[in-house]
Amino acid sequence: MKLHILLAGMLIAPALPATAQVAVPHLYVEQDTCVEINEVVVTGLTGTTKMKYSPTPITVVNKATLHGQPSTNIIDALSRQPGMSQVTTGSGISKPVIRGLGYNRVVVVNDGIRQEGQQWGDEHGIEIDGETVNSVEILKGPASLRYGSDAMAGVIIFHDAPMLSEDGIRNSLSTEYQTNNGLFDYSAMTQGRQGNIFWNARWTQRMAHAYQNKYDGYVYGSQFREQAATGHVGLLHSLGQARLHLSYFNSLPSIIEGERDPFTGDFEMADGFTNIKSYHHAMPYQRINHYKAVIDNTLAIGEGSMKMTLAYQQNHRKEFEESPDEAGLYLQLNTVNYDIHYHVPVFSSWQLVTGIAGMYQHSDNKGDEYLIPDYGLFDVGLFATVSKSFRKWTLSGGLRADYRHIHSHGLYDQGRLRFTDFTRNLTGYTGSAGIIYNITPRMNFRANLSRGFRAPNISELGSNGIHEGTARYEIGNSQLKSEYSTQIDLGVDYSSYIISVQLALFANQIDNFIFAATYEPSSNAYLPASNIYRTYKYTQGDARLYGGEISVDMHPVKNLHFDNSFSFVNARQLHQPEASRWLPLTPAPRWNMDLRYEWPTFPLLSKNLSNTFLSAGMECNFRQNHFYAQDNTETATPSYTLFNAAIGTDILSKGQRVASVSIIGSNLTDRAYQHHLSRLKYTDWNPATGKTGIFNMGRNVAFKLIIYM
């Protein structure tokens, strides 16, 4: 299979199989074997580099792999990758988890800047249109060196489609239908290039009614609607390129509360809502609007290049509990991001990347319900990384210093002090050092030692209110210290014409790990008399995580792929009693298997069909006995196995691809199961089945069509 990477001034990359894509200017690479996946260029921690020179584990997922999943959002599509999982609230809201850590411990980068939109909340998803994503890099492990606070577990980097390599216009129209929840979407895209000017624009709309499984029937409140508009325009010039990105994302997910009739077990629905399969939002629901503008410039300066990025994001998050027209909780978050870094070869083939990055934030409460205070935040980070390759060795590393200032505004509510006025100034010093040794041309050994940093977020510092997403009353702790992690990564990879093996192991020690524990408030604390939820307050301890991933991709015969991967993480709180021994929301061990056969040219129809494939897969989630049992916060989750299958092909006309069609089936045996990281696992008991909580989606078949024009 041939890989083509063609660049003309900046990062341009095509879709590659299973691993993909970013490249460097003025480079053309053409290889014929899967051995050359190590030649793929990634952004990594130490600047643009080939994957084989990265000491930290990186997974790169291409668009074909993303489209091969019957997912309901982009994080759902990534959650099957080794080391990845997701915290879910039904089918519409997913939060990424890397090696057992999520929320503000994972940074998401889109359009070249970190996505900011209330990541601390359980019911807050990622405001990104998955149709715009051409490939994804998943950096596993502390990435604070490059991305600052919050990148303790890792980073997910979304890349959009590369610009056209020659003048012209390309258009496409895609649509999808899923049988379980009636999900229907369409997305229209146009991109073009005329001389030194290039552009891209896309419109996407998606809607789904309630999903179903054999225990719960249709789950009230699991419907959602989304629409998104994205576009960019750019200019190539003698020194590099400049580009302006604009995007808008709107989402209306209903909120699943799981309240049932105590006799029949039927879901209690809002007055006037009678059609459980309606695409209209149910009560309660959210309305999220996310606006973003990004300007980036790349300039050639001397022997190196400088990249400058400036962005503005505005996130509106409204929750409608009592009235469908008047929001109770209404948060407005404004963020300005900046990133300037310079990449230059220095002496004796050493590569140096140095820069400054940070953000300014301001958040306001505009509703009459409160969970977090109004606040302002400013942070800045200075970093430098170096790397060098010689003979069979590659060395890399760097240092970073961060400063974060956060100020919480006080608030009196009904004559009582609800939020106190406080200021925190937090600093963090991080770094990493890694080595790679090429044992043979096909085998590499990797080792990396890194230090991560995370400042406590505003919810952990200052919350005081009912968090509907967790069904508990939360109280912050303004005296929390920053988290620090020390992680060691070890890995070996081997590639040949018939087999590729990747083994990645890690051990991570986190000091000052922040978590919420049950709490008895004092008599003079602000706590509404109407509060019916258990009260939690944020506190700290130490934690230790270890585990790893192994992936084996075999090609016993031409065009046949037999892929297996296994992921495991053990996450423990130190110096805690038995009930709180394990970290909350720790993914269960998982084994994924996929058998796939491809016909590059289909027999007898070679003029009409190409890239035809047939696949069958299995996802086995083992029993999770390691859970946070304090006050029955979590319970054990039994094992379950899901079976999937897919078929697809490209359709040709006069030798040109005009369409792609695929049919993808998931959970084909209609297994009723609960994912350990599903928040719906802890909703009401169902007297009709004798089971507690809501189960995940049952059998689902997705039909996908893309038309190229």
Side-chain angles (χ1 to χ4, degrees), residues 34-54:
C34 65
V35 180
E36 301 304 326
I37 61 175
N38 278 330
E39 298 302 313
V40 173
V41 181
V42 295
T43 52
L45 293 181
T46 56
T48 302
T49 183
K50 290 182 180 179
M51 183 180 290
K52 68 180 180 182
Y53 297 141
S54 173

Side-chain angles (χ1 to χ4, degrees), residues 376-411:
L377 178 152
F378 172 79
D379 70 10
V380 60
L382 299 171
F383 64 91
T385 69
V386 294
S387 61
K388 177 180 174 61
S389 296
F390 58 96
R391 297 177 184 161
K392 294 185 176 183
W393 295 88
T394 299
L395 306 178
S396 64
L399 296 171
R400 180 180 178 116
D402 280 280
Y403 168 78
R404 172 168 289 187
H405 169 88
I406 185 168
H407 178 73
S408 169
H409 299 280
L411 174 71

Side-chain angles (χ1 to χ4, degrees), residues 277-483:
K277 295 174 66 175
S278 171
Y279 286 89
H280 187 70
H281 63 75
M283 288 291 293
Y285 75 99
Q286 297 184 73
R287 182 185 297 273
I288 301 103
N289 291 301
H290 193 89
Y291 306 88
K292 182 166 57 177
V294 183
I295 299 175
D296 64 62
N297 290 273
T298 302
L299 299 174
I301 301 177
E303 295 295 321
S305 63
M306 176 175 287
K307 185 174 177 63
M308 299 169 287
T309 305
L310 180 66
Y312 172 71
Q313 302 178 71
Q314 187 177 87
N315 184 276
H316 297 257
R317 186 172 299 274
K318 303 177 183 180
E319 293 185 5
F320 298 82
E321 289 280 345
E322 306 297 333
S323 167
D325 303 312
E326 184 175 348
L329 186 69
Y330 180 4
L331 300 172
Q332 179 176 309
L333 177 66
N334 296 278
T335 305
V336 175
N337 306 86
Y338 59 94
D339 186 328
I340 303 173
H341 60 272
Y342 182 53
H343 182 189
V344 61
V346 283
F347 54 91
S348 300
S349 73
W350 284 88
Q351 301 289 320
L352 170 67
V353 179
T354 183
I356 180 172
M359 64 180 176
Y360 166 79
Q361 280 188 340
H362 188 81
S363 178
D364 293 307
N365 283 286
K366 293 183 173 296
D368 55 12
E369 295 180 7
Y370 305 97
L371 175 57
I372 62 172
D374 296 349
Y375 73 93
L377 178 152
F378 172 79
D379 70 10
V380 60
L382 299 171
F383 64 91
T385 69
V386 294
S387 61
K388 177 180 174 61
S389 296
F390 58 96
R391 297 177 184 161
K392 294 185 176 183
W393 295 88
T394 299
L395 306 178
S396 64
L399 296 171
R400 180 180 178 116
D402 280 280
Y403 168 78
R404 172 168 289 187
H405 169 88
I406 185 168
H407 178 73
S408 169
H409 299 280
L411 174 71
Y412 279 87
D413 182 20
Q414 299 177 358
R416 301 181 66 184
L417 181 65
R418 181 157 194 161
F419 299 120
T420 60
D421 190 283
F422 66 86
T423 298
R424 293 295 307 275
N425 295 305
L426 303 161
T427 57
Y429 301 95
T430 54
S432 72
I435 61 170
I436 300 173
Y437 177 65
N438 302 123
I439 303 172
T440 72
R442 294 181 176 179
M443 179 179 289
N444 302 305
F445 168 77
R446 308 168 191 273
N448 192 72
L449 178 65
S450 54
R451 179 77 162 164
F453 156 75
R454 185 181 79 89
N457 62 45
I458 189 61
S459 176
E460 295 161 340
L461 290 170
S463 61
N464 190 2
I466 297 173
H467 193 169
E468 299 289 351
T470 57
R472 65 192 189 193
Y473 196 98
E474 293 185 359
I475 299 176
N477 181 352
S478 63
Q479 301 305 309
L480 292 173
K481 300 177 182 178
S482 296
E483 294 181 344

Side-chain angles (χ1 to χ4, degrees), residues 110-271:
N110 188 41
D111 295 329
I113 54 98
R114 55 189 290 164
Q115 188 84 3
E116 290 293 324
Q118 318 287 1
Q119 294 94 322
W120 50 267
D122 289 75
E123 71 282 18
H124 304 166
I126 304 297
E127 303 89 353
I128 295 174
D129 176 14
E131 296 298 327
T132 66
V133 178
N134 191 68
S135 70
V136 185
E137 290 180 41
I138 304 172
L139 282 65
K140 289 175 276 192
S144 301
L145 171 62
R146 180 64 184 86
Y147 298 96
S149 177
D150 301 356
M152 181 171 289
V155 180
I156 301 174
I157 306 173
F158 294 104
H159 296 288
D160 58 6
M163 71 178 178
L164 298 180
S165 58
E166 57 186 20
D167 288 358
I169 296 177
R170 294 180 185 174
N171 305 306
S172 69
L173 177 64
S174 63
T175 186
E176 176 183 1
Y177 177 76
Q178 296 185 15
T179 58
N180 186 285
N181 59 351
L183 184 148
F184 171 75
D185 72 8
Y186 68 89
S187 183
M189 185 272 291
T190 181
Q191 68 174 144
R193 177 173 175 177
Q194 185 63 47
N196 292 332
I197 299 176
F198 59 94
W199 65 89
N200 187 310
R202 180 182 291 272
W203 168 262
T204 301
Q205 191 161 16
R206 171 175 294 193
M207 63 189 74
H209 62 62
Y211 78 85
Q212 63 173 318
N213 60 66
K214 65 181 182 181
Y215 284 157
D216 301 306
Y218 287 95
V219 177
Y220 174 74
S222 60
Q223 54 267 67
F224 63 91
R225 300 174 68 96
E226 294 176 357
Q227 57 186 14
T230 59
H232 70 248
V233 60
L235 173 67
L236 295 172
H237 51 82
S238 59
L239 295 179
Q241 80 166 22
R243 182 159 54 170
L244 170 65
H245 304 255
L246 297 173
S247 66
Y248 162 72
F249 184 90
N250 171 265
S251 178
L252 277 82
S254 297
I255 299 175
I256 305 172
E257 294 187 324
E259 297 179 350
R260 300 178 184 269
D261 184 289
F263 301 103
T264 66
D266 294 337
F267 289 109
E268 294 185 354
M269 298 188 292
D271 292 341

Side-chain angles (χ1 to χ4, degrees), residues 571-574 576-583 627-629:
R572 181 176 177 177
Q573 297 197 81
L574 304 180
Q576 293 288 330
E578 183 66 24
S580 54
R581 177 182 179 185
W582 306 106
L583 260 63
F627 55 92
Y628 185 78

